[in-house]
Structures are given as structure tokens and as C-alpha cells.
Amino acid sequence: MHMICLVKQVPDPETPSASFRVDSAANKVVPATGVAPVISPFDEQAVEVALRIKDKHGGTVTAVSMGPASARDAIKHALAMGCDDGILIDGPAFEYTDSYSTAYTLAAAIKKIGDADIILCGRQAADWDGGQVGIIVSEMLGIPALINGQSTDIIGDKKIKFERVLPDGLDVYESATPAVVTFSQEVGQPRYPTLRNIMAAARKEVPVWGPAELGFDPNEAAKSRAKTKLERLFVPVFEAKVEIIEGENPAESGRLLAMKLREAKII
Amino acid sequence: MADEKGVMIVGELVRGTPAPICYELLGAGRKLADSLGEQLSILIMADNISSDTTSDLIASGADRVYAVAHPVLGKYHPDSFAAVAEKVAKDKKPNILLMGRTEVGQDLAPMLSYRLDAGLLMDCLDLKIDPASKMMIMERPVYGGNARSVLHCETKPQMASVKPKTQEPLPKDTSRKGEVETISVDLSPSINRTQFVEHISWVSEGVQLESAELIISGGRGIGSTEAYKATIDVAAKVIGGAAGASKAACDAGYAPPGNQVGLTGKRVSPTLYVAVAISGASQHLAGMGTSKNIVAINRDPDANMFKVARYGVVADYKQVMPAFIEKLKELLAE
Ligand SMILES: Cc1cc2nc3c(=O)[nH]c(=O)nc-3n(C[C@H](O)[C@H](O)[C@H](O)COP(=O)(O)OP(=O)(O)OC[C@H]3O[C@@H](n4cnc5c(N)ncnc54)[C@H](O)[C@@H]3O)c2cc1C
Ligand SMILES: Cc1cc2nc3c(=O)[nH]c(=O)nc-3n(C[C@H](O)[C@H](O)[C@H](O)COP(=O)(O)OP(=O)(O)OC[C@H]3O[C@@H](n4cnc5c(N)ncnc54)[C@H](O)[C@@H]3O)c2cc1C
């Protein structure tokens, strides 16, 4: 059983909106000072699912990330949680891509690693929120994708069970492997790295693959494969127009609020 | 790339009738088609398609309905639906292809984009045609709603999935004329590579969150499951609305997972949304920011929720809510 987790590093999504900045000339997000980037939360949950399978059935887990040198930290985090190996895909050729081009690169990496039974992703990356990469990877590999999962388990030779989260409950599916599976918050709390794993992760070599390792034309940037183009990035402004309701005490405010909603015919 | 024409929608039916997203997409698609001077069509796939349904879609803005009925299409499956939509799109060659960023669009749209070799942007809020280039310009939220991006596709069809509840449907006009084209397909159940086993329903009592006009939502600050029940559930019941929650409140187990509102929870747009002890993270606003009247109850005067709210109370909710609920009961009994 070999599992591959696709993990992306993102600016910490819990950064308060007030400190979120965009450089509109460069169409880029300005990282908040002193806030370190993190592994995208749903990708961390995908790692958790892989490790639950490994705990139960054995096997190995490889974490793969495409990103700048700092993305090594996202891989190290996955290793500290219990993944066995990590691969970083980095280089100027991979900058400014879109979901398609990202999937193209990751699918090439998965093919090079070979023999993956399950490929685990987040339902969407917490920065660009595309929710496309895992599904396009599955199409490129010619295998099914099961999305927005709460859990998955192995139920036979080359066979998995998958629970998809829907607004009103779960749809349970069975699928042959290899398959791509994507996960959401319903997975639950990812495990904390143990001290032993943190130390092992620190020592672990994380190879860096560039265009040459993936068999790409060195003169062809991933950007040239993109099918969409960013024109503008900006922070939307909301006009604050709140009416604060202040009674003599909080209970009075509550009563005034109810009356206000009634007067305005909202209820 | 020159012969692609028209705006095509991939529609969705619920128990035989068009899902709300169909009308929203027809509203948005009509504007695009008119500014290009092209036709608007909608593809529907099901086991059975009635003439009421096709007439309704024409009255709602479609010039043409492509109807594909086959037993295998009785329940949505990405494999069978993608195969049919791919065939129709390759045959009709639309300039623009739209669908909803719904449970269906979430996997169908990326699959189709790959099979049609087309660029796709998900969860768009706004679509328009650039007067100079005649290309579709798409606006979508990124960074959990903290920023907006404006993009275009460099290939055709230009594909977008649209965020539900963001587009205005057209008023129905039964005198509108349109054509229905029935397309037959050959499908075997074995086209579906994954097998549906069962649906497990989450028990939810009272009013459905997505369709509720009045919502009371609780956040992490609620503090416990008991307090959520006593405050949020009760207030929702009193006003005949639904109870919602932030992700933090669901993760902590205060509220059931099906109550989550936000980027990765339910998208709602009610007349009234009361946010109790919810800070107003961008990912939460992504699911309720378009509500008509937002009320924030929070003890932190700087909470982000006050920035989008129409009314606010700055206090401990434990002191505000009992009196608020009592007064509501009184007013509604009048
Ligand atoms: C300057 C700049 C310009 C950009 N221009 C464009 C543009 O023109 N068009 C456009 O569409 N986007 C653009 N982007 C967005 C960016 O390239 C996105 O990251 C890309 O589209 C991938 O989609 P996503 O992050 O939304 O991933 P999703 O589809 O949301 O990711 C789903 C899952 O796939 C996996 N995954 C995704 N990315 C990676 C990764 N790098 N490594 C490992 N696993 C991964 C993870 O498991 C993740 O949870 C731009 C970004 C920047 C910074
Ligand atoms: C990829 C991604 C997707 C996400 N999707 C969602 C989503 O769909 N929905 C969602 O909600 N979040 C989502 N989040 C999480 C989001 O970023 C926030 O963490 C979350 O919304 C915070 O919930 P909260 O406001 O309840 O908690 P907090 O931010 O902790 O806020 C609690 C608030 O309660 C107030 N408070 C505390 N006690 C009291 C009291 N006694 N009386 C009055 N006020 C009190 C505090 O002042 C504070 O403002 C997502 C995050 C990521 C990274």
C-alpha cells in the first residue's frame, strides 16, 4: 500500500482579515509580518487520513509539494506527523501557474514516483480555493476521483470505501484503486507530531525535483501551460454602516434589538 | 478557435424539476449571450425529462434546451454526467460553458475542463463580457474571501462555475420561444467507475438552513453544546427560522456538522442572519455575506462581523440572548 499526499503551503488562513494586504501593482498577496506560512488545513487532514490507513493496514506515505523553498516546511510537517518520505518540486519554471498547470506538474511527479494506490488531497487549497487540482490530476492519470470526504478505508484487495460529505449527510461509495480522494474538515483533528517524529523529520532528506527530474522541456515554463490568466487581485471594501444598539444594560439591548427587527419588518 | 458560438449551461434537476441554480445561471447566461449577440442553451441530463421542465427553462431564458434522458442518468454520478456533457459540448462547441459550483459542479466542472482542454474558474461571483476582446471576464473570491481576483480563460470554451445564490434569475415569461433538442446517448452503468452504496442522512429538525429566510448562528464563543441548544436552537425555533454555526462551533462539537455556514459549509443568503459570538472570519463571511440584514452580537467591539452588520450589540451574549428571545416571543405573539 503506497499513498501519496499532495500538500500545499499557504499563508496562514487564520490571519485576521484586518492584516490582509495585496500589492495590486504586482497582483500578489503581501505576507503578514511575523506570520509563518502553514500546510493548507485540508491537506493536513488528508495526511491524517493517510496515516490512519497506515496505522491500520501498514504501508508508506509520500508527501509531495510544489512551491518555493519554504514549502519544505509543509513537507517536514507532514513527515513529523508520520509520513515516510517527502518530495519538493521547486524552481522558477513552476511559478505563476493555474490549477491546470499545477495539476500537470503534480501528475508528472506522481507518475515518476510510480505505484501509488491512493492519492490524497485537500478539497481546496486555503489560498486560491480552486478545488480543481486533485480532480484534474485524476483525469490526467485516468483514474476516478472521490471528493469532499470525511473518511476512507481499505475494504479489500485494491478496493476502498469512501464517505462523501453532502449538505444533508453522507454518500458512501466504493471504488477500485488507484484513485484520487480529497478531504474536508469532517475528517476531524489532525494528529500532533510526536517528538520522535519531529526529530526524524528534521534529519530526513527531502529531494528537490525540477523540470529535468520530471522530464519537462527546460525552456518551457509551467506558466505557458496555464489556460487562465489573472488580470487583477484586490481587497474588497465593505462599507461599515452598523447601528450599535445600546440599552442601559445588555438585557435591555437584547429587547431593543428585537423591537428594531420588528419595526424594520425583518421579522 | 473561431467557430465556437453560444453560451451553454450545464443544468441540474432535483426530482425532475430544475434546481434553483438553473434559473440563476439562465439569468447570468442571458446577459452574456445578449452582449455577445449569441444564443443561450441549457443541457439537462436525467432519467426522465418532462415537457413542463423544458418549457419552464425556456420561459426562464433559454433559447434552446438539450435534453438527454437515459436510465443511467437517474442519480448524479460524475462519470456518466461528464461523459454526456463532454459529448454534447464537443458537438455543439459553445463559446462559454457555465455550471453551478454546487455538489454537482464541484467535480463535474474540473473533469469537463480537462476533457474539453479548456480553462476553468470555480466559484465565480460575477461574469461579464469585455467589450474590446469579447472574452468573458470572471471575478472570484480567493484567500477565503479576503481578496477578489479577476481572470479570463485563454482557451475555449471559456468555463466558469458560479457560486450559488449570487445571480439574479429572470422573471418567467411563458410567451418566450425556444427549441427543445432531444439527444440520445448510449450509456452502460459500467461507465461509473465508483459505486454508490448508500446515503446516510444527518437528522435535522425544523427549517432547512439553505432555504431559511431567518437564521440564528452561533460561534466558538457560545462555549458548549448545552448553551448552543438553549440559545441558538431556541431562538431559531422562536422566529421559525434555522440554526447555523461557524466552523469553529461545529469542530468543537457545539453544533452538528450540517449546520456549518461558510466557504466550506452552507451558502446562505437570508433576510435575517444573526451572528452570535462569531468573529466574522472571511471564510465565514463567504457563506453569509450576501444576507440582507446581518446582526452581530459579540463582546468584542472590534470583531470583524460588525463591519458587515446592519445592527450590532456589543455585550456578552449570555446576558443579551435570553431577553432578546423573550421579547421576540412577545412580539411574535401579538
Ligand atoms: C502571482 C500569482 C499569479 C497567479 N495567476 C493565476 C492565474 O493566472 N490563473 C489561475 O487560475 N491561478 C493563478 N494563480 C493561483 C495559483 O497558481 C493556484 O495555486 C493554482 O491555481 C492551484 O489551484 P489552487 O491553489 O486553487 O488549488 P486547489 O485546486 O484548491 O487544490 C486542491 C488540492 O490540490 C493539492 N495541491 C494544490 N496545489 C498544490 C501544490 N502546489 N503542491 C501540492 N499539492 C497541491 C492540495 O492537496 C490541495 O488541497 C496565481 C497565483 C499567484 C501567486
Ligand atoms: C480553508 C478554510 C475553510 C474554512 N471554512 C469555514 C467555513 O465554512 N465556515 C466558518 O465559519 N469558518 C471556516 N473556516 C474557519 C475560519 O477561518 C474561522 O476560524 C472560524 O470562522 C472562526 O469561528 P468563530 O467566529 O466561531 O470563532 P472565533 O474566531 O474564535 O470567534 C469567536 C467570537 O466569539 C466572541 N465571543 C466569545 N465569547 C463571547 C460571549 N460570551 N459573548 C459574546 N461574544 C463572545 C469573541 O469575541 C469572538 O469574536 C475556514 C478556514 C479555512 C482555513
Side-chain angles (χ1 to χ4, degrees):
Chain A
M1 173 61 49
H2 182 213
M3 291 171 275
I4 296 179
C5 291
L6 301 181
V7 299
K8 186 179 189 184
Q9 192 185 46
V10 299
D12 189 342
E14 301 282 344
T15 311
S17 298
S19 45
F20 188 86
R21 299 267 179 286
V22 160
D23 172 350
S24 35
N27 274 344
K28 268 189 192 166
V29 171
V30 184
T33 37
V35 185
V38 297
I39 179 171
S40 188
F42 297 142
D43 301 1
E44 190 181 10
Q45 266 150 333
V47 171
E48 172 62 29
V49 174
L51 295 174
R52 285 179 194 167
I53 294 176
K54 181 181 157 181
D55 290 345
K56 197 164 158 191
H57 304 279
T60 53
V61 187
T62 306
V64 177
S65 188
M66 182 186 94
S70 69
R72 186 181 296 271
D73 293 342
I75 295 173
K76 290 278 179 179
H77 182 85
L79 291 171
M81 284 174 72
C83 290
D84 301 279
D85 296 289
I87 294 162
L88 176 65
I89 302 168
D90 182 22
F94 298 114
E95 282 174 5
Y96 307 137
T97 58
D98 68 351
S99 298
Y100 176 87
S101 164
T102 300
Y104 185 91
T105 303
L106 292 170
I110 293 165
K111 282 185 203 152
K112 183 176 159 90
I113 297 166
D115 82 351
D117 299 291
I118 310 178
I119 295 141
L120 302 95
C121 304
R123 68 177 280 178
Q124 66 196 63
D127 51 358
W128 283 74
D129 292 315
Q132 295 199 41
V133 169
I135 299 163
I136 300 179
V137 163
S138 80
E139 287 283 307
M140 288 171 169
L141 299 174
I143 60 178
L146 297 125
I147 68 163
N148 300 354
Q150 160 170 296
S151 70
T152 192
D153 199 4
I154 295 163
I155 53 164
D157 185 34
K158 296 199 174 298
K159 198 166 176 196
I160 56 169
K161 186 174 118 177
F162 181 86
E163 291 176 340
R164 173 171 177 169
V165 179
L166 293 173
D168 63 342
L170 300 171
D171 265 358
V172 183
Y173 284 90
E174 286 178 8
S175 174
T177 59
V180 170
V181 283
T182 82
F183 291 95
S184 191
Q185 65 252 0
E186 286 78 5
V187 164
Q189 185 67 41
R191 67 195 60 197
Y192 293 106
T194 60
L195 194 58
R196 212 185 95 214
N197 280 345
I198 294 173
M199 280 158 55
R203 282 193 305 268
K204 188 102 202 170
E205 282 284 336
V206 174
V208 180
W209 289 359
E213 282 78 7
L214 294 174
F216 291 176
D217 177 347
N219 299 314
E220 194 192 354
K223 185 166 75 170
S224 68
R225 279 180 216 105
K227 295 180 187 295
T228 65
K229 193 163 187 335
L230 179 66
E231 295 183 357
R232 206 154 74 82
L233 187 68
F234 65 97
V235 176
V237 272
F238 297 104
E239 247 179 275
K241 49 174 185 339
V242 63
E243 179 183 335
I244 297 291
I245 296 175
E246 265 186 291
E248 297 207 325
N249 53 53
E252 187 58 24
S253 307
R255 280 189 284 273
L256 290 174
L257 173 63
M259 284 156 71
K260 197 90 197 175
L261 296 179
R262 187 65 173 178
E263 271 163 35
K265 300 200 164 55
I266 297 168
I267 52 164
Chain B
M1 203 155 116
D3 55 344
E4 293 89 352
K5 277 250 172 315
V7 178
M8 187 190 283
I9 292 165
V10 180
E12 295 172 33
L13 301 185
V14 185
R15 282 182 289 278
T17 57
I21 191 74
C22 290
Y23 305 117
E24 296 164 21
L25 290 169
L26 285 169
R30 189 71 262 163
K31 282 192 218 140
L32 298 174
D34 289 347
S35 58
L36 287 167
E38 295 180 6
Q39 281 216 330
L40 176 64
S41 62
I42 182 164
L43 163 66
I44 46 173
M45 298 170 267
D47 46 357
N48 242 307
I49 296 169
S50 74
S51 58
D52 285 354
T53 295
T54 53
S55 318
D56 183 32
L57 293 169
I58 290 168
S60 306
D63 298 316
R64 189 174 270 271
V65 179
Y66 298 116
V68 186
H70 191 285
V72 172
L73 302 172
K75 177 175 164 64
Y76 171 69
H77 192 292
D79 289 338
S80 50
F81 277 60
V84 173
E86 175 189 353
K87 175 179 145 56
V88 176
K90 282 187 172 160
D91 198 35
K92 306 298 175 190
K93 297 195 177 54
N95 178 7
I96 290 174
L97 187 60
L98 305 179
M99 55 193 88
R101 197 267 192 193
T102 56
E103 289 302 329
V104 171
Q106 283 184 52
D107 47 11
L108 185 58
M111 285 172 82
L112 267 181
S113 83
Y114 176 76
R115 294 179 190 196
L116 300 174
D117 204 17
L120 162 70
L121 290 156
M122 297 285 274
D123 217 19
C124 297
L125 297 171
D126 187 44
L127 309 171
K128 52 176 170 283
I129 301 296
D130 180 86
S133 67
K134 301 283 177 212
M135 296 296 278
M136 177 167 64
I137 308 298
M138 294 161 268
E139 186 171 321
R140 61 180 297 266
V142 288
Y143 289 85
N146 274 318
R148 294 276 172 80
S149 58
V150 178
L151 306 102
H152 67 257
C153 293
E154 306 216 283
T155 46
K156 287 190 175 175
Q158 306 167 70
M159 289 186 65
S161 78
V162 175
K163 181 172 163 127
K165 300 206 170 97
T166 57
Q167 313 296 315
E168 209 48 56
L170 296 171
K172 277 189 199 178
D173 174 0
T174 46
S175 67
R176 273 188 54 92
K177 295 268 172 298
E179 280 168 63
V180 179
E181 183 178 332
T182 307
I183 299 173
S184 55
V185 289
D186 222 359
L187 279 178
S188 143
S190 65
I191 191 161
N192 294 337
R193 293 168 294 179
T194 64
Q195 288 76 46
F196 171 72
V197 182
E198 61 173 329
H199 178 77
I200 302 169
S201 287
W202 284 325
V203 273
S204 74
E205 294 158 16
V207 183
Q208 283 280 315
L209 198 49
E210 294 100 316
S211 51
E213 279 303 327
L214 306 170
I215 296 175
I216 313 267
S217 249
R220 186 178 349 236
I222 293 292
S224 71
T225 315
E226 295 70 39
Y228 183 87
K229 285 206 174 99
T231 313
I232 305 302
D233 283 341
V234 168
K237 205 160 170 205
V238 166
I239 59 170
S246 70
K247 176 171 179 286
C250 293
D251 288 351
Y254 306 160
N259 285 19
Q260 185 182 317
V261 171
L263 182 67
T264 50
K266 289 179 179 143
R267 315 289 178 100
V268 300
S269 197
T271 314
L272 175 66
Y273 190 91
V274 183
V276 188
I278 301 178
S279 62
S282 60
Q283 295 91 350
H284 189 78
L285 301 185
M288 47 61 72
T290 54
S291 306
K292 273 132 239 134
N293 297 285
I294 297 170
V295 174
I297 300 175
N298 199 304
R299 65 178 179 200
D300 173 9
D302 295 325
N304 205 44
M305 192 59 85
F306 289 116
K307 299 217 175 83
V308 297
R310 173 158 174 207
Y311 302 112
V313 176
V314 183
D316 186 338
Y317 86 87
K318 293 192 200 84
Q319 291 167 349
V320 180
M321 289 301 282
F324 177 59
I325 293 171
E326 279 317 306
K327 191 72 196 174
L328 285 173
K329 272 191 198 158
E330 202 183 299
L331 292 169
L332 292 167
E334 275 169 18

